[in-house]
Amino acid sequence: MHDPSATSATVARTMQTASQRTFGLVESVIREMTRLALHYGAVNLSQGYPDFPAPAEVKEAAKRAIDGDINQYAITWGAKRFRDALARKASATFGWEVDPETEICVTCGATEAMFASFMALLNPGDEVVIFEPFYENYGPDCSLTGAIPRLVRLRPPDWHIPFDELEAAFNERTRAIVINTPNNPTGKVFGHDELEKIARLCCERDVLAVTDEIYEYIIYDGQRHVPMATMPGMRQRTVTVNAMSKSYSVTGWRVGWTIAHRDLTNSIRKVHDFVTVGAAAPLQEAGVTALSLPQSYYDSLAAEYNKRRNHLLGILEECGFRCFRPQGAYYAIADISRFGFENDTKFAEFLVREIGVAVVPGSSFYRNPADGAQQVRFAFCKKEETLNEAANRLRRLRDRL
Ligand code: GLN
């Protein structure tokens, strides 16, 4: 947005005071859309956060922790009780044995986990393979670190991996690959065979996998999440990034973590220590309660999201969108070409202003904006009445077909 108070003199001063590493950064489109939604009173299906409450027992545990005076710093790389709970959960769910003393770093959300991992493990000039469309933070993570993203395009409609291109993307400068499964924004769940092939490549070429698994429990059609770290040969070379945000509907708590081999963890802990010191201590304590919820909690989380997925897809198809059916996570990418807009940004502006629904323009998930120009992303982590209200508004779009 143009700021009329920014004269050329203030712009020049800003250029002198800003570091070069910030020049390429622009405001997150996802978070900007939330601001526009508030401004126009639109139903916000842009930024991916639930508008329904967190589990009552988890909220109670947070209140108890504050009343119990857990108000000072936790150990910088994570409160012991919380790390122990994370290790117990990994073992019970996936038979994945993690040492809570040396292999976990608790962070301020998955966002910090990802950034701290990049800062700790990549040198300027290292290449990082990233699948496109991608979650928009991975670009700034690279540019702040000085790493170079090498993109490999997933192929719609099933978003499969072109393995010949993936192999060709690996070269002597490749240091890491980012995997986000279940995937934001496509809803792709990486299959066992796909993970196996990626794992083989990583082992052959001595490459790290940084895997963002924050949607692990939001998965449909009877599929099961497979952590990359549990694939053959990957335990030593995987940084698993995760958080409480999505599994327990607490995106504002900012409690995330990394799980990785002790040598990798050591470096991640150093960055984390000097950037944030630590995640909120009472909320880590509440995390102990969250992580001990029974399997039925996760079953019903997935079942509720399945209902929301079907609800939103029904609405979108009725209104003239062509959708890519997500297999996991809580987003749907929709093709907007039938509405005849010049591009996704114009469509998203029209939608938030005239129709009253906020979405994320597809171009924010691609390096070249033209590649996402006929796509938008809807988030369906919303109450039934929110989706119904969006439906009432979106039906007005049918007049434009
Ligand atoms: N992951 C969520 C999204 O894609 C929220 C991101 C954020 O704003 N931290 O919408």
Side-chain angles (χ1 to χ4, degrees):
M1 278 301 222
H2 176 68
D3 175 1
S5 66
T7 63
S8 52
T10 55
V11 170
R13 259 202 316 279
T14 308
M15 294 301 276
Q16 283 159 19
T17 51
S19 73
Q20 283 177 12
R21 72 175 71 83
T22 66
F23 288 1
L25 302 184
V26 286
E27 183 189 2
S28 149
V29 178
I30 296 177
R31 296 183 272 282
E32 181 189 12
M33 288 310 301
T34 285
R35 283 198 296 99
L36 289 179
L38 289 170
H39 181 78
Y40 290 110
V43 178
N44 189 3
L45 304 187
S46 62
Q47 195 177 13
Y49 62 85
D51 70 347
F52 45 83
E57 52 272 64
V58 178
K59 294 196 295 186
E60 285 307 320
K63 291 181 229 172
R64 268 200 315 277
I66 290 176
D67 283 340
D69 283 325
I70 302 184
N71 296 315
Q72 311 309 327
Y73 304 121
I75 292 174
T76 181
W77 53 76
K80 175 156 175 57
R81 279 170 49 77
F82 186 53
R83 278 181 289 119
D84 286 349
L86 286 167
R88 271 198 307 275
K89 181 101 177 63
S91 170
T93 313
F94 301 112
W96 174 17
E97 301 307 326
V98 171
D99 178 1
E101 295 308 323
T102 59
E103 296 185 316
I104 295 176
C105 180
V106 177
T107 58
C108 297
T111 297
E112 192 219 339
M114 199 75 191
F115 181 63
S117 301
F118 270 50
M119 285 298 278
L121 306 173
L122 303 177
N123 285 312
D126 284 349
E127 289 194 8
V128 182
V129 176
I130 296 176
F131 292 107
E132 187 182 44
F134 47 78
Y135 172 50
E136 62 170 11
N137 276 33
Y138 305 151
D141 285 341
C142 285
S143 64
L144 289 171
T145 316
I148 298 162
R150 185 160 282 265
L151 302 179
V152 174
R153 177 78 58 87
L154 298 171
R155 298 290 201 274
D158 59 351
W159 307 106
H160 66 269
I161 302 170
F163 273 100
D164 47 340
E165 284 179 30
L166 181 65
E167 236 169 276
F170 279 64
N171 62 48
E172 65 287 350
R173 289 180 302 279
T174 310
R175 171 79 174 133
I177 179 170
V178 173
I179 298 153
N180 171 215
T181 182
N183 184 258
N184 175 10
T186 63
K188 174 186 173 66
V189 172
F190 285 60
H192 195 276
D193 52 330
E194 291 176 314
L195 292 177
E196 209 161 44
K197 283 189 193 160
I198 298 170
R200 204 172 315 129
L201 263 179
C202 289
C203 294
E204 280 167 15
R205 311 290 183 92
D206 193 18
V207 162
L208 297 172
V210 183
T211 74
D212 177 348
E213 301 184 6
I214 194 163
Y215 301 98
E216 66 176 318
Y217 292 109
I218 303 173
I219 191 162
Y220 311 111
D221 307 327
Q223 300 179 91
R224 269 184 69 79
H225 173 69
V226 180
M228 187 50 141
T230 63
M231 298 301 292
M234 292 308 288
R235 211 195 130 83
Q236 315 298 317
R237 57 176 68 255
T238 301
V239 179
T240 305
V241 168
N242 211 325
M244 290 180 64
S245 306
K246 270 73 188 204
S247 301
Y248 309 105
S249 309
V250 288
T251 62
W253 283 18
R254 316 308 303 136
V255 179
W257 57 87
T258 59
I259 301 179
H261 180 273
R262 62 189 303 156
D263 295 344
L264 305 177
T265 299
N266 249 335
S267 311
I268 296 168
R269 285 178 173 182
K270 286 186 206 169
V271 174
H272 161 75
D273 188 10
F274 292 110
V275 176
T276 62
V277 179
L283 302 183
Q284 292 187 55
E285 178 59 26
V288 177
T289 299
L291 288 159
S292 57
L293 288 170
Q295 181 56 39
S296 56
Y297 167 76
Y298 301 98
D299 295 342
S300 86
L301 182 80
E304 288 301 310
Y305 271 117
N306 186 37
K307 280 191 220 153
R308 295 181 189 112
R309 171 184 68 154
N310 295 339
H311 189 173
L312 179 76
L313 291 179
I315 295 165
L316 296 182
E317 271 151 26
E318 181 196 329
C319 295
F321 293 91
R322 257 194 331 110
C323 296
F324 299 96
R325 190 176 179 77
Q327 302 173 297
Y330 52 47
Y331 309 100
I333 294 255
D335 181 288
I336 56 170
S337 46
R338 289 180 64 194
F339 299 105
F341 278 75
E342 186 188 327
N343 61 42
D344 57 319
T345 309
K346 294 241 156 55
F347 181 80
E349 274 170 17
F350 164 81
L351 213 63
V352 72
R353 230 184 274 155
E354 309 295 332
I355 300 286
V357 175
V359 295
V360 179
S363 54
S364 29
F365 307 107
Y366 293 86
R367 171 148 61 192
N368 177 2
D371 293 329
Q374 291 302 322
Q375 295 175 352
V376 294
R377 189 196 77 174
F378 287 84
F380 54 84
C381 41
K382 305 294 169 184
K383 293 190 284 231
E384 192 181 354
E385 50 269 41
T386 309
L387 295 178
N388 283 338
E389 180 55 35
N392 290 339
R393 296 177 182 208
L394 289 169
R395 283 195 188 100
R396 288 174 37 218
L397 273 175
R398 286 186 301 195
D399 305 341
R400 301 184 61 95
L401 287 175

